[in-house]
Amino acid sequence: MKYSLIILTVTLALVMGCNSSTEKKKEKKMLTAEHIPTVVTSDIEEGIKANIAKKVKEGGGYFHMESGGKELRLELVRVHTEYLSNLGPRRHFACVDLADVSGDVYDVDFFLEGDPGSMIVTETTLHKLNGKPMYTWKQRKDKTWYRVPVQEASNDLLGVIEGEDKFEFRYEVTLPEMKKSAKIWIPVPQSDTFQDVRLTTLKTPVEHQMLEEKEYGNSVLYMELLPEDSGKKVELVYDVSRKEKKPYEENTWPARYLDASLLMPVGFRFETLADSIMGDKRYGGTLMRARALYDYIIDNMSYIKAGTYGTGDAVYACDALTGNCTEFHSLFISLARSAGIPARFAVGASIPSDRDEGGIDGYHCWAEFYAEGKWWPVDISEANKYSKLATYYFGRHPANRIEFTRGRDLKLEPGPKSGSINFMAYPVMEEGDVPVFPKTFFSFQRKSDKETL
Protein backbone atom coordinates (compact mmCIF):
# COMPACT_ATOMS: atom_id res chain seq x y z
CA MET A 1 0.00 0.00 0.00
CA LYS A 2 2.84 2.30 0.91
CA TYR A 3 4.58 1.64 -2.42
CA SER A 4 1.27 2.14 -4.31
CA LEU A 5 0.89 5.59 -2.74
CA ILE A 6 4.47 6.48 -3.67
CA ILE A 7 3.93 5.38 -7.29
CA LEU A 8 0.62 7.33 -7.47
CA THR A 9 2.28 10.48 -6.08
CA VAL A 10 5.18 10.30 -8.55
CA THR A 11 2.79 9.68 -11.44
CA LEU A 12 0.63 12.71 -10.51
CA ALA A 13 3.73 14.86 -10.16
CA LEU A 14 4.92 13.82 -13.63
CA VAL A 15 1.50 14.45 -15.15
CA MET A 16 1.21 17.82 -13.48
CA GLY A 17 4.75 18.66 -14.53
CA CYS A 18 3.98 17.71 -18.13
CA ASN A 19 0.74 19.69 -18.08
CA SER A 20 2.58 22.70 -16.62
CA SER A 21 5.22 22.44 -19.31
CA THR A 22 2.54 22.12 -21.97
CA GLU A 23 0.70 25.18 -20.63
CA LYS A 24 3.92 27.18 -20.58
CA LYS A 25 4.62 26.18 -24.17
CA LYS A 26 1.10 27.22 -25.17
CA GLU A 27 1.48 30.51 -23.31
CA LYS A 28 4.84 31.16 -24.93
CA LYS A 29 3.41 30.31 -28.35
CA MET A 30 0.47 32.66 -27.73
CA LEU A 31 2.82 35.48 -26.67
CA THR A 32 4.91 34.89 -29.76
CA ALA A 33 1.82 34.96 -31.96
CA GLU A 34 0.69 38.20 -30.32
CA HIS A 35 4.11 39.85 -30.51
CA ILE A 36 3.67 43.47 -31.52
CA PRO A 37 6.58 45.04 -33.42
CA THR A 38 8.17 48.13 -31.96
CA VAL A 39 7.09 51.20 -33.93
CA VAL A 40 9.20 54.37 -34.15
CA THR A 41 8.18 57.68 -35.69
CA SER A 42 10.07 56.96 -38.91
CA ASP A 43 7.84 53.90 -39.39
CA ILE A 44 4.73 56.06 -39.05
CA GLU A 45 6.18 58.65 -41.44
CA GLU A 46 6.84 55.98 -44.04
CA GLY A 47 3.38 54.52 -43.43
CA ILE A 48 1.53 57.79 -44.04
CA LYS A 49 3.68 58.66 -47.06
CA ALA A 50 2.98 55.23 -48.59
CA ASN A 51 -0.77 55.62 -48.04
CA ILE A 52 -0.81 59.11 -49.56
CA ALA A 53 1.31 57.98 -52.52
CA LYS A 54 -1.15 55.15 -53.19
CA LYS A 55 -4.13 57.53 -53.12
CA VAL A 56 -2.30 60.01 -55.37
CA LYS A 57 -1.63 57.26 -57.91
CA GLU A 58 -5.27 56.17 -57.79
CA GLY A 59 -6.43 59.78 -58.02
CA GLY A 60 -4.59 60.68 -61.20
CA GLY A 61 -1.81 62.62 -59.52
CA TYR A 62 -3.79 64.18 -56.65
CA PHE A 63 -4.94 63.24 -53.16
CA HIS A 64 -8.70 63.80 -53.27
CA MET A 65 -10.83 65.00 -50.35
CA GLU A 66 -14.10 66.87 -49.97
CA SER A 67 -14.71 69.98 -47.88
CA GLY A 68 -18.01 71.83 -47.75
CA GLY A 69 -19.20 70.22 -50.96
CA LYS A 70 -15.97 71.20 -52.72
CA GLU A 71 -13.73 68.58 -54.29
CA LEU A 72 -10.12 69.16 -53.24
CA ARG A 73 -7.15 68.11 -55.36
CA LEU A 74 -4.24 68.01 -52.96
CA GLU A 75 -0.48 67.54 -53.14
CA LEU A 76 1.78 66.57 -50.23
CA VAL A 77 3.72 69.51 -48.77
CA ARG A 78 5.19 67.94 -45.65
CA VAL A 79 4.65 65.47 -42.82
CA HIS A 80 4.72 67.03 -39.35
CA THR A 81 7.36 64.69 -37.94
CA GLU A 82 7.11 66.38 -34.53
CA TYR A 83 3.49 65.20 -34.16
CA LEU A 84 3.86 61.57 -35.28
CA SER A 85 2.57 59.39 -32.44
CA ASN A 86 2.13 55.76 -31.50
CA LEU A 87 -1.31 55.70 -29.81
CA GLY A 88 -1.19 52.09 -28.68
CA PRO A 89 -0.81 48.57 -30.07
CA ARG A 90 -0.93 48.96 -33.87
CA ARG A 91 -2.60 52.42 -33.64
CA HIS A 92 -0.85 55.52 -34.89
CA PHE A 93 -1.38 59.23 -35.62
CA ALA A 94 0.06 61.50 -38.31
CA CYS A 95 -0.47 65.14 -39.23
CA VAL A 96 0.24 66.26 -42.79
CA ASP A 97 0.16 69.52 -44.80
CA LEU A 98 -1.51 69.17 -48.20
CA ALA A 99 -1.85 72.00 -50.74
CA ASP A 100 -4.90 72.32 -52.99
CA VAL A 101 -4.56 73.40 -56.62
CA SER A 102 -6.35 76.62 -55.58
CA GLY A 103 -3.38 77.52 -53.34
CA ASP A 104 -5.12 76.75 -50.04
CA VAL A 105 -3.10 74.68 -47.60
CA TYR A 106 -4.86 72.10 -45.43
CA ASP A 107 -3.57 70.53 -42.25
CA VAL A 108 -4.97 66.97 -42.30
CA ASP A 109 -5.04 64.49 -39.41
CA PHE A 110 -4.68 60.77 -40.16
CA PHE A 111 -5.25 57.77 -37.91
CA LEU A 112 -3.54 54.55 -38.98
CA GLU A 113 -3.50 50.92 -37.92
CA GLY A 114 -0.99 48.15 -38.53
CA ASP A 115 2.66 47.24 -38.28
CA PRO A 116 5.70 48.82 -39.95
CA GLY A 117 5.46 48.30 -43.70
CA SER A 118 1.74 47.46 -43.65
CA MET A 119 -0.16 50.40 -42.16
CA ILE A 120 -3.59 51.44 -43.40
CA VAL A 121 -5.45 54.72 -42.86
CA THR A 122 -8.65 54.29 -40.83
CA GLU A 123 -9.70 57.93 -40.44
CA THR A 124 -8.91 61.21 -42.21
CA THR A 125 -10.09 64.66 -41.10
CA LEU A 126 -9.35 68.24 -42.16
CA HIS A 127 -7.87 70.01 -39.13
CA LYS A 128 -6.82 73.44 -40.42
CA LEU A 129 -7.35 75.63 -43.46
CA ASN A 130 -4.50 78.08 -44.09
CA GLY A 131 -3.43 77.80 -40.47
CA LYS A 132 -6.90 78.33 -39.00
CA PRO A 133 -8.10 75.28 -37.00
CA MET A 134 -11.55 73.78 -37.35
CA TYR A 135 -11.11 71.98 -34.03
CA THR A 136 -8.44 71.36 -31.44
CA TRP A 137 -7.43 68.38 -29.32
CA LYS A 138 -7.69 67.66 -25.60
CA GLN A 139 -6.03 64.76 -23.80
CA ARG A 140 -7.89 62.55 -21.32
CA LYS A 141 -6.29 61.16 -18.16
CA ASP A 142 -5.82 57.80 -19.91
CA LYS A 143 -3.64 59.59 -22.53
CA THR A 144 -6.22 59.27 -25.31
CA TRP A 145 -7.35 62.36 -27.23
CA TYR A 146 -10.66 63.82 -28.35
CA ARG A 147 -11.68 66.76 -30.54
CA VAL A 148 -12.99 70.04 -29.19
CA PRO A 149 -14.63 72.65 -31.48
CA VAL A 150 -12.55 75.86 -31.49
CA GLN A 151 -15.48 77.96 -30.30
CA GLU A 152 -15.78 75.74 -27.23
CA ALA A 153 -12.05 75.49 -26.51
CA SER A 154 -10.42 77.17 -23.53
CA ASN A 155 -7.41 79.46 -23.97
CA ASP A 156 -4.97 76.71 -22.99
CA LEU A 157 -6.21 74.58 -25.89
CA LEU A 158 -5.65 77.51 -28.24
CA GLY A 159 -1.98 77.87 -27.39
CA VAL A 160 -2.09 80.13 -24.35
CA ILE A 161 -0.66 79.49 -20.89
CA GLU A 162 -1.13 82.51 -18.68
CA GLY A 163 0.93 83.39 -15.62
CA GLU A 164 4.08 81.25 -15.73
CA ASP A 165 5.42 78.19 -17.51
CA LYS A 166 8.49 76.05 -16.80
CA PHE A 167 10.06 73.61 -19.21
CA GLU A 168 13.22 72.07 -20.59
CA PHE A 169 13.93 73.17 -24.15
CA ARG A 170 16.19 71.19 -26.49
CA TYR A 171 17.78 72.67 -29.62
CA GLU A 172 19.39 69.98 -31.80
CA VAL A 173 21.34 70.50 -35.02
CA THR A 174 22.56 67.69 -37.31
CA LEU A 175 25.46 68.83 -39.46
CA PRO A 176 25.12 68.10 -43.19
CA GLU A 177 27.61 66.32 -45.41
CA MET A 178 30.56 68.67 -45.98
CA LYS A 179 33.28 68.49 -48.62
CA LYS A 180 35.19 71.53 -47.38
CA SER A 181 35.57 73.60 -44.23
CA ALA A 182 32.47 75.37 -42.93
CA LYS A 183 31.28 77.83 -40.31
CA ILE A 184 28.08 77.83 -38.29
CA TRP A 185 26.24 80.36 -36.11
CA ILE A 186 23.49 79.22 -33.70
CA PRO A 187 21.29 81.59 -31.62
CA VAL A 188 21.53 81.23 -27.84
CA PRO A 189 18.55 82.60 -25.84
CA GLN A 190 19.28 84.95 -22.95
CA SER A 191 17.56 85.72 -19.66
CA ASP A 192 15.58 88.94 -19.38
CA THR A 193 12.69 90.37 -17.35
CA PHE A 194 10.28 87.73 -18.65
CA GLN A 195 12.38 84.61 -19.11
CA ASP A 196 15.01 82.95 -16.95
CA VAL A 197 17.14 80.75 -19.21
CA ARG A 198 19.89 78.43 -17.95
CA LEU A 199 22.03 76.43 -20.38
CA THR A 200 22.34 72.98 -18.77
CA THR A 201 23.86 70.98 -21.62
CA LEU A 202 26.10 72.02 -24.50
CA LYS A 203 27.54 69.35 -26.78
CA THR A 204 29.61 70.41 -29.79
CA PRO A 205 31.84 68.34 -32.09
CA VAL A 206 34.59 71.01 -32.06
CA GLU A 207 35.72 73.94 -29.96
CA HIS A 208 33.27 76.83 -29.89
CA GLN A 209 33.02 80.44 -28.85
CA MET A 210 30.17 82.73 -27.87
CA LEU A 211 29.71 85.86 -29.96
CA GLU A 212 27.86 88.98 -28.84
CA GLU A 213 25.67 90.77 -31.38
CA LYS A 214 26.02 94.33 -30.15
CA GLU A 215 23.04 96.13 -31.73
CA TYR A 216 20.37 94.13 -29.88
CA GLY A 217 22.44 92.20 -27.33
CA ASN A 218 21.94 88.74 -28.83
CA SER A 219 24.27 85.84 -28.03
CA VAL A 220 25.39 83.42 -30.76
CA LEU A 221 27.31 80.12 -30.65
CA TYR A 222 30.04 80.02 -33.32
CA MET A 223 32.07 77.06 -34.63
CA GLU A 224 34.48 76.31 -37.46
CA LEU A 225 33.97 72.86 -38.92
CA LEU A 226 35.83 70.36 -41.10
CA PRO A 227 34.52 67.66 -43.49
CA GLU A 228 35.13 64.98 -40.85
CA ASP A 229 32.46 66.69 -38.70
CA SER A 230 29.79 65.73 -41.24
CA GLY A 231 26.75 64.10 -39.66
CA LYS A 232 27.71 65.05 -36.11
CA LYS A 233 25.28 66.77 -33.78
CA VAL A 234 25.18 69.97 -31.79
CA GLU A 235 22.92 69.86 -28.73
CA LEU A 236 21.86 72.72 -26.49
CA VAL A 237 19.50 72.05 -23.60
CA TYR A 238 17.97 74.85 -21.54
CA ASP A 239 16.08 75.02 -18.27
CA VAL A 240 13.50 77.77 -18.80
CA SER A 241 11.10 79.65 -16.56
CA ARG A 242 8.95 82.08 -18.52
CA LYS A 243 6.40 84.69 -17.43
CA GLU A 244 3.44 85.92 -19.42
CA LYS A 245 4.42 89.15 -21.16
CA LYS A 246 2.24 92.23 -20.74
CA PRO A 247 2.85 95.93 -21.58
CA TYR A 248 6.07 96.92 -19.85
CA GLU A 249 8.46 99.80 -19.39
CA GLU A 250 12.05 99.57 -20.54
CA ASN A 251 15.00 101.92 -20.34
CA THR A 252 15.53 102.21 -24.09
CA TRP A 253 15.40 104.76 -26.90
CA PRO A 254 12.22 103.93 -28.86
CA ALA A 255 13.04 106.22 -31.80
CA ARG A 256 15.72 103.79 -33.00
CA TYR A 257 12.86 101.44 -33.90
CA LEU A 258 11.46 103.84 -36.51
CA ASP A 259 14.20 103.13 -39.06
CA ALA A 260 13.87 100.82 -42.04
CA SER A 261 15.62 97.46 -42.35
CA LEU A 262 16.50 95.58 -45.53
CA LEU A 263 13.20 93.70 -45.77
CA MET A 264 11.05 96.08 -43.74
CA PRO A 265 10.97 99.39 -45.67
CA VAL A 266 9.52 102.56 -44.19
CA GLY A 267 7.56 105.33 -45.92
CA PHE A 268 6.30 105.52 -49.52
CA ARG A 269 3.61 102.89 -50.15
CA PHE A 270 3.59 101.82 -46.47
CA GLU A 271 2.93 105.35 -45.25
CA THR A 272 0.11 105.75 -47.78
CA LEU A 273 -1.37 102.37 -46.82
CA ALA A 274 -1.08 103.07 -43.10
CA ASP A 275 -2.91 106.40 -43.53
CA SER A 276 -5.73 104.74 -45.46
CA ILE A 277 -6.05 101.95 -42.87
CA MET A 278 -6.20 104.33 -39.93
CA GLY A 279 -8.54 106.87 -41.56
CA ASP A 280 -9.87 109.23 -38.91
CA LYS A 281 -8.16 107.11 -36.25
CA ARG A 282 -4.82 108.62 -37.25
CA TYR A 283 -5.86 111.62 -35.20
CA GLY A 284 -6.41 109.42 -32.15
CA GLY A 285 -3.92 108.00 -29.67
CA THR A 286 -1.09 105.63 -30.53
CA LEU A 287 -2.97 102.62 -29.17
CA MET A 288 -5.95 103.36 -31.41
CA ARG A 289 -3.74 103.72 -34.48
CA ALA A 290 -1.75 100.56 -33.72
CA ARG A 291 -4.96 98.59 -33.21
CA ALA A 292 -6.24 99.71 -36.61
CA LEU A 293 -3.07 98.33 -38.26
CA TYR A 294 -3.31 95.14 -36.19
CA ASP A 295 -6.94 94.56 -37.21
CA TYR A 296 -6.20 95.26 -40.87
CA ILE A 297 -3.58 92.52 -41.02
CA ILE A 298 -5.82 90.04 -39.18
CA ASP A 299 -8.70 90.74 -41.58
CA ASN A 300 -6.72 90.81 -44.82
CA MET A 301 -3.80 88.40 -44.55
CA SER A 302 -4.00 84.61 -44.82
CA TYR A 303 -1.64 82.31 -42.97
CA ILE A 304 -0.35 80.24 -45.90
CA LYS A 305 3.04 78.58 -46.04
CA ALA A 306 3.32 78.66 -49.81
CA GLY A 307 5.24 80.73 -52.33
CA THR A 308 7.99 82.97 -50.97
CA TYR A 309 7.31 82.91 -47.26
CA GLY A 310 9.39 82.87 -44.10
CA THR A 311 11.77 85.67 -45.07
CA GLY A 312 9.91 88.52 -43.39
CA ASP A 313 9.72 90.57 -46.58
CA ALA A 314 7.15 93.32 -45.89
CA VAL A 315 6.83 94.16 -49.60
CA TYR A 316 5.98 90.55 -50.44
CA ALA A 317 3.52 90.40 -47.54
CA CYS A 318 1.86 93.62 -48.70
CA ASP A 319 1.47 92.30 -52.25
CA ALA A 320 0.60 88.64 -51.59
CA LEU A 321 -1.25 89.12 -48.28
CA THR A 322 -0.06 85.61 -47.36
CA GLY A 323 2.80 84.12 -45.39
CA ASN A 324 3.71 82.86 -41.95
CA CYS A 325 4.43 84.77 -38.75
CA THR A 326 7.43 86.57 -40.27
CA GLU A 327 5.33 88.13 -43.02
CA PHE A 328 2.51 89.08 -40.63
CA HIS A 329 4.80 90.90 -38.23
CA SER A 330 7.12 92.40 -40.84
CA LEU A 331 4.17 94.06 -42.54
CA PHE A 332 2.92 95.34 -39.19
CA ILE A 333 6.35 96.78 -38.33
CA SER A 334 6.72 98.53 -41.70
CA LEU A 335 3.23 100.01 -41.38
CA ALA A 336 3.72 101.03 -37.74
CA ARG A 337 7.11 102.66 -38.32
CA SER A 338 5.74 104.47 -41.38
CA ALA A 339 2.97 105.82 -39.14
CA GLY A 340 5.51 107.05 -36.59
CA ILE A 341 4.97 104.16 -34.13
CA PRO A 342 8.21 102.47 -32.96
CA ALA A 343 7.98 98.70 -33.47
CA ARG A 344 10.40 95.79 -33.21
CA PHE A 345 10.79 92.12 -34.11
CA ALA A 346 11.69 89.04 -32.04
CA VAL A 347 11.83 85.31 -32.76
CA GLY A 348 11.89 82.11 -30.74
CA ALA A 349 9.64 79.09 -30.31
CA SER A 350 6.10 78.59 -29.09
CA ILE A 351 5.78 75.76 -26.57
CA PRO A 352 2.63 73.62 -27.05
CA SER A 353 0.04 74.18 -24.35
CA ASP A 354 -2.05 71.05 -24.94
CA ARG A 355 0.70 68.52 -24.13
CA ASP A 356 3.71 68.35 -21.82
CA GLU A 357 6.44 66.97 -24.06
CA GLY A 358 7.50 66.25 -27.59
CA GLY A 359 8.55 67.99 -30.78
CA ILE A 360 7.87 71.61 -31.70
CA ASP A 361 6.71 72.76 -35.12
CA GLY A 362 9.60 75.09 -35.93
CA TYR A 363 10.19 78.67 -34.89
CA HIS A 364 7.67 81.41 -34.11
CA CYS A 365 8.07 85.18 -34.20
CA TRP A 366 6.19 88.18 -32.86
CA ALA A 367 6.39 91.96 -32.50
CA GLU A 368 6.12 94.81 -30.01
CA PHE A 369 5.16 98.46 -30.50
CA TYR A 370 5.74 101.48 -28.29
CA ALA A 371 2.82 103.50 -26.89
CA GLU A 372 1.98 105.36 -23.69
CA GLY A 373 5.51 104.91 -22.35
CA LYS A 374 5.43 101.10 -22.64
CA TRP A 375 6.23 98.31 -25.07
CA TRP A 376 3.07 96.44 -26.10
CA PRO A 377 3.48 92.79 -27.21
CA VAL A 378 1.41 91.61 -30.19
CA ASP A 379 1.08 88.27 -31.95
CA ILE A 380 -0.92 88.91 -35.10
CA SER A 381 -0.51 85.55 -36.82
CA GLU A 382 -1.90 83.74 -33.78
CA ALA A 383 -4.74 86.24 -33.52
CA ASN A 384 -5.45 85.53 -37.18
CA LYS A 385 -5.72 81.80 -36.46
CA TYR A 386 -7.86 82.20 -33.34
CA SER A 387 -10.16 85.19 -33.71
CA LYS A 388 -11.47 84.77 -30.16
CA LEU A 389 -7.94 85.60 -28.93
CA ALA A 390 -7.51 88.78 -30.99
CA THR A 391 -8.03 90.96 -27.92
CA TYR A 392 -5.64 88.86 -25.82
CA TYR A 393 -2.81 89.04 -28.35
CA PHE A 394 -3.02 92.83 -28.55
CA GLY A 395 -0.85 93.48 -25.50
CA ARG A 396 0.00 89.93 -24.39
CA HIS A 397 2.42 87.12 -25.15
CA PRO A 398 1.68 83.86 -23.29
CA ALA A 399 4.13 82.26 -20.88
CA ASN A 400 4.63 79.17 -23.04
CA ARG A 401 7.32 80.42 -25.37
CA ILE A 402 11.04 81.08 -25.45
CA GLU A 403 12.73 84.03 -27.15
CA PHE A 404 15.95 83.34 -29.09
CA THR A 405 16.90 86.71 -30.58
CA ARG A 406 15.66 90.24 -31.20
CA GLY A 407 16.00 92.46 -34.22
CA ARG A 408 16.74 92.19 -37.93
CA ASP A 409 19.89 92.60 -40.06
CA LEU A 410 22.11 91.20 -37.32
CA LYS A 411 25.85 91.84 -37.62
CA LEU A 412 28.41 89.47 -36.09
CA GLU A 413 32.19 89.36 -35.90
CA PRO A 414 33.21 86.97 -37.32
CA GLY A 415 30.10 86.86 -39.45
CA PRO A 416 28.84 85.14 -42.61
CA LYS A 417 30.37 86.19 -45.94
CA SER A 418 26.83 86.85 -47.14
CA GLY A 419 26.67 89.84 -44.78
CA SER A 420 24.17 90.69 -42.06
CA ILE A 421 21.74 88.00 -40.92
CA ASN A 422 18.06 88.66 -41.67
CA PHE A 423 16.97 87.17 -38.32
CA MET A 424 18.12 84.21 -36.24
CA ALA A 425 15.91 81.27 -35.38
CA TYR A 426 17.61 78.39 -37.18
CA PRO A 427 21.40 78.10 -37.56
CA VAL A 428 23.20 80.08 -40.23
CA MET A 429 25.84 77.94 -41.92
CA GLU A 430 28.29 78.43 -44.79
CA GLU A 431 30.42 75.79 -46.49
CA GLY A 432 33.10 77.91 -48.07
CA ASP A 433 31.08 80.74 -49.62
CA VAL A 434 27.89 78.70 -50.07
CA PRO A 435 24.97 78.76 -47.59
CA VAL A 436 23.91 75.31 -46.35
CA PHE A 437 20.97 74.34 -44.19
CA PRO A 438 21.53 71.81 -41.41
CA LYS A 439 18.64 69.79 -40.06
CA THR A 440 17.29 71.44 -36.91
CA PHE A 441 14.86 69.98 -34.39
CA PHE A 442 13.22 71.57 -31.33
CA SER A 443 11.63 69.60 -28.48
CA PHE A 444 10.50 70.25 -24.93
CA GLN A 445 9.59 68.67 -21.60
CA ARG A 446 7.29 70.67 -19.33
CA LYS A 447 8.22 70.70 -15.64
CA SER A 448 5.88 70.33 -12.70
CA ASP A 449 6.18 72.50 -9.59
CA LYS A 450 7.77 69.53 -7.75
CA GLU A 451 10.53 69.30 -10.37
CA THR A 452 11.44 72.94 -9.95
CA LEU A 453 11.72 72.90 -6.13
Side-chain angles (χ1 to χ4, degrees), residues 78-84 95-97 107 127-128 131 169-170 303 305 309 324-325 348-352 355 357-365 382 385 404 425-426 440-444:
R78 66 165 176 158
V79 176
H80 288 271
T81 54
E82 68 277 7
Y83 294 146
L84 297 172
C95 180
V96 173
D97 282 350
D107 184 312
H127 185 190
K128 298 179 183 177
F169 181 82
R170 181 179 295 272
Y303 191 94
K305 292 183 177 181
Y309 78 93
N324 71 353
C325 56
S350 182
I351 309 301
R355 53 191 169 92
E357 62 182 352
I360 297 172
D361 186 17
Y363 73 87
H364 185 54
C365 63
E382 287 300 291
K385 294 178 188 177
F404 296 162
Y426 296 133
T440 307
F441 184 71
F442 305 152
S443 61
F444 81 106

Side-chain angles (χ1 to χ4, degrees), residues 24-76:
K24 286 181 180 178
K25 288 180 180 178
K26 287 181 179 178
E27 183 180 350
K28 184 175 181 181
K29 187 175 181 181
M30 186 178 296
L31 287 172
T32 302
E34 290 297 319
H35 173 67
I36 298 172
T38 300
V39 175
V40 295
T41 54
S42 58
D43 296 324
I44 304 172
E45 182 178 7
E46 290 304 312
I48 189 58
K49 284 182 176 179
N51 275 273
I52 291 174
K54 179 182 177 182
K55 289 294 184 182
V56 167
K57 185 176 181 180
E58 295 171 352
Y62 294 102
F63 186 92
H64 293 268
M65 290 188 71
E66 186 177 309
S67 176
K70 176 184 176 183
E71 180 69 22
L72 304 179
R73 291 182 295 162
L74 304 165
E75 294 184 29
L76 178 63

Side-chain angles (χ1 to χ4, degrees), residues 33-180:
E34 290 297 319
H35 173 67
I36 298 172
T38 300
V39 175
V40 295
T41 54
S42 58
D43 296 324
I44 304 172
E45 182 178 7
E46 290 304 312
I48 189 58
K49 284 182 176 179
N51 275 273
I52 291 174
K54 179 182 177 182
K55 289 294 184 182
V56 167
K57 185 176 181 180
E58 295 171 352
Y62 294 102
F63 186 92
H64 293 268
M65 290 188 71
E66 186 177 309
S67 176
K70 176 184 176 183
E71 180 69 22
L72 304 179
R73 291 182 295 162
L74 304 165
E75 294 184 29
L76 178 63
V77 176
R78 66 165 176 158
V79 176
H80 288 271
T81 54
E82 68 277 7
Y83 294 146
L84 297 172
S85 302
N86 184 10
L87 303 179
R90 298 191 172 94
R91 295 179 60 247
H92 323 289
F93 173 81
C95 180
V96 173
D97 282 350
L98 295 162
D100 185 50
V101 291
S102 66
D104 289 330
V105 178
Y106 291 85
D107 184 312
V108 184
D109 291 340
F110 291 87
F111 289 87
L112 304 93
E113 290 184 359
D115 296 327
S118 60
M119 294 181 185
I120 60 170
V121 172
T122 58
E123 184 180 354
T124 306
T125 55
L126 295 173
H127 185 190
K128 298 179 183 177
L129 169 58
N130 297 328
K132 290 188 177 182
M134 303 170 186
Y135 56 85
T136 187
W137 293 97
K138 186 173 179 64
Q139 193 175 37
R140 299 184 179 93
K141 291 182 179 180
D142 64 0
K143 302 297 184 180
T144 59
W145 295 80
Y146 65 96
R147 296 184 186 88
V148 179
V150 167
Q151 60 271 24
E152 298 177 14
S154 57
N155 282 7
D156 64 304
L157 292 182
L158 302 181
V160 172
I161 291 182
E162 298 171 283
E164 187 175 10
D165 196 16
K166 298 176 182 179
F167 50 88
E168 178 185 88
F169 181 82
R170 181 179 295 272
Y171 191 119
E172 183 179 287
V173 181
T174 302
L175 299 175
E177 188 68 28
M178 295 175 282
K179 296 182 179 179
K180 58 177 70 173

Side-chain angles (χ1 to χ4, degrees), residues 246-248 277-278 280-296 332 336 339-342 368-378 390-396:
K246 302 176 183 180
Y248 65 100
I277 292 169
M278 293 184 295
D280 292 340
K281 294 177 182 177
R282 66 179 179 272
Y283 304 114
T286 305
L287 285 175
M288 182 182 294
R289 293 185 291 130
R291 181 62 193 241
L293 302 177
Y294 175 90
D295 288 339
Y296 170 83
F332 174 80
I341 304 172
E368 298 177 351
F369 69 91
Y370 190 78
E372 311 298 334
K374 296 180 179 180
W375 284 101
W376 292 68
V378 292
T391 299
Y392 174 86
Y393 279 119
F394 187 79
R396 297 287 189 278

